[in-house]
Amino acid sequence: MQPQFQSMQTTGSISVGQNRVLRNTYLMLAVSMVPTLIGALVGIQMRFSFFAGSPLVSFLVFMGVAWGFMWGIEKNKNSGLGVALLLGFTFFMGLMLSRILQVALGFSNGGSIIAMAAGGTAATFFVLSSIAATTKRDFSGMSSFLTVGAIVLLLAIVANIFLQIPGLHLAISAGIALLSAAWMLYDIQNIVRGGETNYVSASLSVYLNLYNLFVSLINLLMALTGQRE
């Protein structure tokens, strides 16, 4: 279902309510990076692997835990419990992030790869946020296309768990990067135009876009520029 955007109070401007949701969303995103970082550092120190010997089981358990968190967050988005669950979710995602960070740090230029991925993610967020807040173009019609794209990529990920084709892995990472950027543009404009009025839900959506973009950029940079000792 496509969101029904509320009318803007003045052409080209953001209403007070919409501005408050956007501001709270950005603040919540900034706060959520703290447990993500803590989770990643804990995971690296513990050499967290999460069913590394069984990729399919790892994927299924990860999806189950992630969807459980997201269901709980949406169910409690209007209370403090929703915020607590969101922060718990971002800590969990930080733990999961530690796996690819450990792989990246195995390259001699691993630190540079992580920094470049972080910089690319931040730059993309800044540019797309600016576009979403100022453009007169309506991106609400992208929702069906983006949903289909997400399903296709999810099926490709499951297929490559069995096929283990490096080229397909690279194509999936590129697809996720593009899709995450497109979802980010859609989600932020949805907030700006009043389609999303709850900052907890908004923060969850944009956080997932940033997370997936960052991970996909690390995968691409490792494949294209990674240097072994």
Side-chain angles (χ1 to χ4, degrees):
M1 180 183 297
Q2 295 183 3
Q4 299 299 314
F5 292 140
Q6 298 175 352
S7 301
M8 313 249 318
Q9 287 185 348
T10 20
T11 304
S13 66
I14 305 175
S15 73
V16 174
Q18 294 157 1
N19 184 67
R20 182 170 58 251
V21 174
L22 189 64
R23 183 179 65 250
N24 289 342
T25 297
Y26 288 166
L27 178 61
M28 192 71 243
L29 283 172
V31 172
S32 70
M33 295 304 159
V34 176
T36 301
L37 179 59
I38 294 173
L41 292 175
V42 169
I44 291 173
Q45 291 297 317
M46 294 174 57
R47 298 189 178 278
F48 185 72
S49 58
F50 200 73
F51 298 104
S54 180
L56 180 59
V57 172
S58 175
F59 176 76
L60 293 176
V61 172
F62 165 72
M63 292 298 293
V65 174
W67 279 107
F69 263 115
M70 288 187 281
W71 179 85
I73 292 166
E74 286 298 318
K75 190 76 173 178
N76 299 280
K77 62 184 180 181
N78 294 311
S79 69
L81 180 57
V83 174
L85 287 172
L86 178 59
L87 295 178
F89 175 64
T90 59
F91 175 81
F92 168 72
M93 295 299 282
L95 279 176
M96 300 305 299
L97 182 63
S98 68
R99 297 185 302 170
I100 191 170
L101 295 181
Q102 290 175 65
V103 175
L105 291 172
F107 291 90
S108 59
N109 62 335
S112 297
I113 287 174
I114 295 171
M116 289 173 62
T121 301
T124 301
F125 175 70
F126 176 78
V127 171
L128 294 182
S129 295
S130 300
I131 292 173
T134 58
T135 186
K136 294 182 180 179
R137 183 174 179 180
D138 184 1
F139 297 113
S140 61
M142 295 170 54
S143 59
S144 298
F145 169 78
L146 294 175
T147 301
V148 171
I151 293 172
V152 170
L153 284 173
L154 185 61
L155 293 175
I157 290 170
V158 174
N160 208 38
I161 290 175
F162 299 99
L163 300 175
Q164 294 293 309
I165 302 174
L168 180 56
H169 176 72
L170 199 61
I172 290 171
S173 295
I176 292 175
L178 293 173
L179 191 68
S180 297
W183 268 116
M184 197 182 305
L185 186 62
Y186 170 85
D187 286 333
I188 294 174
Q189 189 182 72
N190 194 23
I191 301 167
V192 169
R193 297 195 174 186
E196 177 58 75
T197 59
N198 184 279
Y199 76 93
V200 174
S201 293
S203 299
L204 175 61
S205 297
V206 180
Y207 174 86
L208 289 172
N209 297 331
L210 292 169
Y211 185 96
N212 289 329
L213 178 60
F214 177 61
V215 171
S216 62
L217 288 178
I218 289 180
N219 276 317
L220 290 170
L221 289 169
M222 285 194 299
L224 300 174
T225 68
Q227 299 173 5
R228 294 292 184 181
E229 295 287 353

